[in-house]
Amino acid sequence: LTVVFTGEGAPAGNYGYTSSGYSVYEEENDRLTESLRTKVSAIKSLSIEIGTEVKNQNKMLSEMENDFDSTGGLLGATMGRLRTLSRGSQTKLLFYMMLFSLFVFFVIYWIIKLR
């Protein structure tokens, strides 16, 4: 192994850098690269988890929309039946209220007459 020295005292293969200073910068770059790799990996896993959560939430919203639609249909049908019931039976209801009022009137009249 032959090492050629330049006039500055550093080996010619290191392009003028001293071996100790070059390795410090390289180690710092390696450390920062590894730190960046760790952060990128964490962001990747977080984005995958967010995507999974979004899919689950969309599925749940779709199910809720279907439930609300079916409940709305059921409520609409019930309201239609109530409207039909209230239109057709108003005369019956009025007749029953009149009979009840007459019954109460006669009961009160009878109680007063017995005193």
Side-chain angles (χ1 to χ4, degrees):
L1 182 69
T2 317
V3 178
V4 178
F5 286 94
T6 60
E8 299 162 346
N14 287 337
Y15 302 103
Y17 295 109
T18 60
S19 63
S20 63
Y22 180 72
S23 66
V24 169
Y25 289 126
E26 190 171 330
E27 288 173 9
E28 180 71 15
N29 278 344
D30 289 344
R31 188 180 60 77
L32 291 174
T33 303
E34 188 60 37
S35 172
L36 185 61
R37 184 175 297 135
T38 304
K39 290 176 183 177
V40 167
S41 175
I43 289 173
K44 179 182 176 184
S45 65
L46 185 63
S47 66
I48 290 171
E49 289 176 15
I50 288 172
T52 304
E53 184 65 24
V54 166
K55 286 178 186 176
N56 289 338
Q57 293 294 327
N58 283 340
K59 182 180 175 185
M60 190 183 322
L61 283 174
S62 176
E63 290 171 359
M64 284 178 61
E65 182 180 4
N66 292 338
D67 290 344
F68 279 127
D69 285 344
S70 66
T71 304
L74 181 64
L75 185 60
T78 303
M79 292 302 290
R81 284 189 219 126
L82 281 175
R83 270 188 237 117
T84 304
L85 183 64
S86 67
R87 283 186 202 137
S89 66
Q90 277 186 356
T91 55
K92 287 182 181 179
L93 184 62
L94 187 59
F95 179 71
Y96 289 139
M97 287 179 65
M98 290 293 286
L99 282 178
F100 180 72
S101 300
L102 284 173
F103 175 74
V104 170
F105 176 74
F106 283 122
V107 168
I108 292 174
Y109 177 76
W110 183 65
I111 290 175
I112 293 174
K113 186 131 180 143
L114 286 178
R115 280 188 172 196

